[in-house]
Amino acid sequence: MNSRRDFLQKLGISALALHLAPLSGWTASKNNVEAPYEGRVLRVAIMGLGSYGTRVAEAMQSCVKAKLVGVISGTPSKIKDWQSKYGIPAKNCYNYENFDSIKNNPDIDAVYVITPNALHHGMVLRVAKAGKHVICEKPMAINAKEGQEMVDACKKANVKLLVGYRMHFEPKTLEVIRMRNSGEFGKILFFQGQCGFKIGDPTQWRLNKQLAGGGSMMDIGIYAINGSRYMTGEDPVWVTAQETKTDPEKFKEGVDETIQFQFGFPSGATASCLSTYNMNNLDRFFLDGEKGFAEMWPSTGYGPIQGRTHKGELTQPVTTHQTVQMEEMAAIVFDNKQPVVPVNGEEAVKDLKIIEAIYQAAKTGSKVVISL
């Protein structure tokens, strides 16, 4: 096992098995057969056929409201493989040079951009100009200015801009949010988010400032940032941060290895978080209130999310995150469904502004005021 990410990926496979297992003992009858879905299906082309693009494609095979119908890639061999595996017609296959012509393809409703971070901005602008809805992986851009330009471009083109915040649809996460909203934790006092793993290949794009826009904060730290917001139900108003770098050869200038950061919220609640590319066994959220607590561990990984509160273990069903995400996003696009926690471009711009404030606080050693 090379990293915790490998472990989480294996857990993801187990999660899918757990999710599907109950179906094997199910017996059809007139009383328990659900009516087949007859609404519109979101027809999606995936841009970027790497490991996460593959994970999304596999998860979409279980969707009823969304369907993989196209691909965009700079690697012809990958396009050929995906065509064969997923039955994608040649007319729905594009490369990075010609995909603007997707505007003339009525069989594609949306493009899911799953490329390195620095490419998101330009690709999303082109997809919006082509008149297609956009789903973009997080972080949505490498800075808030680019992020806002993406939001504005999609609004101008009258297309939806959604971001791959899969945890916003995860059942145990939503149960904790429901409990907080109903006052079961009382006044929220403190949040702790620990996110990290020991990254491998030093030549990968995630360790390239030009492609990633940073280091661990742009990849794994954003989970703690976003998690602090949906777990407390507030946006932070100040941040302090400290950066630690033990391997400057692997983590070059502008590529953060480990950052600890602390938030203050309008209510007086505080948060203490960690983002790292140099430690395993970190994927934990803890929320403390005057009347109770919630702990999630694993809190954001691909494998089964586990958690407990002062009332006992969380028992909501295990799901395949990307399957649920795509089903819900189809409802957002076609039915204007409003999720419990937003997954729109405005939500992503907030996270980008917070990331910029964290970097500034780590660099200056000063408390930085956050204005969202």
Side-chain angles (χ1 to χ4, degrees):
M1 187 182 300
N2 295 326
S3 69
R4 190 162 194 275
R5 176 162 288 184
D6 295 332
F7 173 65
L8 290 174
Q9 288 174 343
K10 291 176 181 176
L11 274 180
I13 296 172
S14 300
L16 180 59
L18 285 170
H19 182 51
L20 297 177
L23 296 178
S24 61
W26 184 81
T27 304
S29 74
K30 289 183 179 179
N31 295 325
N32 61 15
V33 175
E34 284 190 18
Y37 176 71
E38 295 181 349
R40 293 182 66 183
V41 173
L42 184 67
R43 299 165 299 174
V44 179
I46 290 180
M47 175 188 292
L49 310 185
S51 61
Y52 194 71
T54 300
R55 180 177 291 276
V56 172
E58 288 296 303
M60 287 186 69
Q61 302 311 296
S62 300
C63 289
V64 296
K65 298 180 182 179
K67 182 180 180 181
L68 173 63
V69 300
V71 293
I72 304 167
S73 174
T75 307
S77 60
K78 286 186 178 180
I79 292 178
K80 185 176 179 181
D81 290 344
W82 279 51
Q83 276 191 270
S84 175
K85 185 171 185 179
Y86 300 112
I88 297 170
K91 67 181 179 65
N92 290 354
C93 297
Y94 301 86
N95 57 45
Y96 295 131
E97 286 70 44
N98 69 12
F99 80 82
D100 301 280
S101 62
I102 203 169
K103 67 183 178 182
N104 301 316
N105 191 333
D107 297 331
I108 295 175
D109 301 310
V111 175
Y112 196 157
V113 179
I114 314 178
T115 60
N117 304 337
L119 304 182
H120 291 176
H121 175 261
M123 298 302 189
V124 168
L125 295 188
R126 289 172 65 184
V127 173
K129 190 175 181 181
K132 303 299 181 181
H133 299 295
V134 186
I135 304 168
C136 183
E137 256 314 297
K138 60 191 179 305
M140 187 174 72
I142 60 172
N143 57 56
K145 178 178 179 294
E146 285 193 355
Q148 189 60 52
E149 289 172 357
M150 295 156 74
V151 170
D152 294 343
C154 289
K155 283 184 177 178
K156 182 179 179 181
N158 197 30
V159 297
K160 297 277 190 182
L161 172 57
L162 306 176
V163 184
Y165 288 113
R166 57 187 168 82
M167 302 312 300
H168 293 194
F169 307 109
E170 195 281 317
K172 293 181 176 67
T173 301
L174 289 175
E175 172 59 13
V176 172
I177 293 171
R178 184 203 65 77
M179 291 178 68
R180 186 208 68 231
N181 285 338
S182 66
E184 294 179 49
F185 301 123
K187 177 179 170 60
I188 300 301
L189 304 173
F190 177 71
F191 171 81
Q192 183 181 52
Q194 300 172 337
C195 297
F197 62 94
K198 201 171 182 69
I199 199 165
D201 181 10
T203 66
Q204 63 181 281
W205 71 263
R206 288 179 179 82
L207 297 177
N208 181 322
K209 173 69 160 58
Q210 282 64 47
L211 290 175
S216 69
M217 187 62 62
M218 299 296 286
D219 180 27
I220 195 74
I222 194 170
Y223 285 101
I225 293 169
N226 195 253
S228 75
R229 296 174 55 221
Y230 64 65
M231 293 284 275
T232 64
E234 297 188 273
D235 289 331
V237 292
W238 59 258
V239 62
T240 53
Q242 307 80 39
E243 181 176 4
T244 303
K245 186 171 291 191
T246 63
D247 189 348
E249 181 60 33
K250 185 173 185 178
F251 304 99
K252 295 181 169 33
E253 182 68 26
V255 179
D256 49 286
E257 173 189 320
T258 302
I259 295 183
Q260 297 175 76
F261 54 100
Q262 302 79 39
F263 289 143
F265 297 93
S267 67
T270 58
S272 176
C273 302
L274 172 69
S275 167
T276 184
Y277 266 162
N278 203 30
M279 286 179 260
N280 288 328
N281 310 307
L282 293 173
D283 183 12
R284 178 177 177 269
F285 285 174
F286 179 77
L287 184 70
D288 195 31
E290 287 184 335
K291 295 181 181 178
F293 72 90
E295 180 181 41
M296 307 188 76
W297 190 10
S299 58
T300 65
Y302 299 145
I305 301 303
Q306 298 181 0
R308 65 190 179 103
T309 73
H310 59 288
K311 294 187 173 183
E313 184 178 355
L314 293 169
T315 58
Q316 286 66 35
V318 172
T319 62
T320 302
H321 301 170
Q322 295 80 6
T323 303
V324 178
Q325 172 192 310
M326 297 308 297
E327 297 281 70
E328 291 294 316
M329 285 185 168
I332 292 170
V333 170
F334 292 137
D335 305 326
N336 201 33
K337 182 177 181 179
Q338 299 302 306
V340 173
V341 185
V343 292
N344 54 30
E346 289 83 355
E347 173 83 356
V349 170
K350 287 184 177 182
D351 283 342
L352 291 169
K353 288 181 177 179
I354 295 170
I355 288 174
E356 290 178 349
I358 291 170
Y359 281 143
Q360 183 183 349
K363 184 177 181 179
T364 63
S366 303
K367 179 186 287 188
V368 173
V369 173
I370 299 173
S371 178
L372 300 181

